[in-house]
Amino acid sequence: MTFTIASTTVLSNGVEMPLLGLGTYKAVEGAEVEQEVLAALEAGYRSIDTASMYGNEAGIGRAVRASGIPRGELFLASKVWNDEQGYEETLAAFERSAERMGTDYLDLYLVHWPHAVLYAETWRAFEELYRQGRVRAIGVSNFLVPHLETLRAVAKIGPMVDQVEFHPRLQQPELQAYCGEHGIVVEAWAPLMRGRVFEEPVIVSIAGHHGVSPAQVTLRWLLQKGLVAIPKSVRPDRIRANADVFSFELSPEDVGRLDAMDTGERLGRHPDSWGLGQR
Ligand code: NDP
């Protein structure tokens, strides 16, 4: 498999989404996130993931403009937060995100977490934004199979992406199979297990064999599986290293060893733990 940093996956509506993007959760608004984004764009990243909840959309917008890279060459994604769900609320939340980022449109807009009551209204707003061309693709985040089933029962346009926690310890085979069947691209958050890949002996050993780091092994594994990965780092050396995953290839045996690490262990919240819409 020959990948480059420009490699994309094609969403169900034909839009191309870069396989490697930049995560920005906890990158602080202001100099920190601006420098992160500029370093990433310089290293060749063209896809940036944020959310209204991260509080750094404005800084990302400033960095994007400062880079001078034409908007059409970038893939910008944001998310509607839990307390912004509902039809009118979502339309207004989108306008706020777009304005903060200084862009007329987003390449991808995601529902951050599933809401048991408001999901249909939120999604109706997503479909409206999509029809109006304000977003090139629409998707969800943290939706498990039952959430996707419930949504698809009311959706006129199905989600094109599901961004979920995904790494060697949490591979969600049922969700992967469901998304594969329904043409939904799986995007991995916390792909580096928030740094814990460096403590996993199997990953460390594969990394040693290839002369690369455990982070590079894990990202390469995700790309070879056809998933989108959005590692986050605010350090330029790590940003560059996380994108340097195109000069080696994992063997089927390496992939098998990583696949065998799944224990279903979550580092972040379970999608139902918010109790959104449940009383
Ligand atoms: P990651 O798995 O990307 O890990 C990020 C952590 O690893 C940071 O502490 C970073 O530190 C460190 N790190 C990054 N690269 C390296 C490296 N090469 N060597 C050593 N340490 C490294 O976790 P995230 O939770 O950030 O997930 C990625 C992105 O996914 C988020 O930033 C966000 O965009 C998205 N996300 C979405 C969620 C959702 O609900 N939809 C939830 C959580 C995340 P440092 O910055 O100091 O380098």
Side-chain angles (χ1 to χ4, degrees), residues 22-26 36 49-50 54 79 81 110 112-113 141-142 163-164 188-196 198 213 215-216 230-235 237-239 241-242:
L22 180 73
T24 66
Y25 179 44
K26 299 215 164 141
E36 177 193 12
D49 177 77
T50 184
Y54 301 171
K79 313 183 191 83
W81 184 237
L110 301 172
H112 209 141
W113 293 90
S141 176
N142 300 303
Q163 182 185 111
V164 294
W189 69 252
L192 304 179
M193 297 175 64
R194 299 188 158 154
R196 277 183 39 197
F198 287 85
S213 78
Q216 289 166 320
I230 45 170
K232 173 264 176 184
S233 176
V234 293
R235 287 179 38 168
D237 56 335
R238 291 177 173 177
I239 291 169
N242 292 345

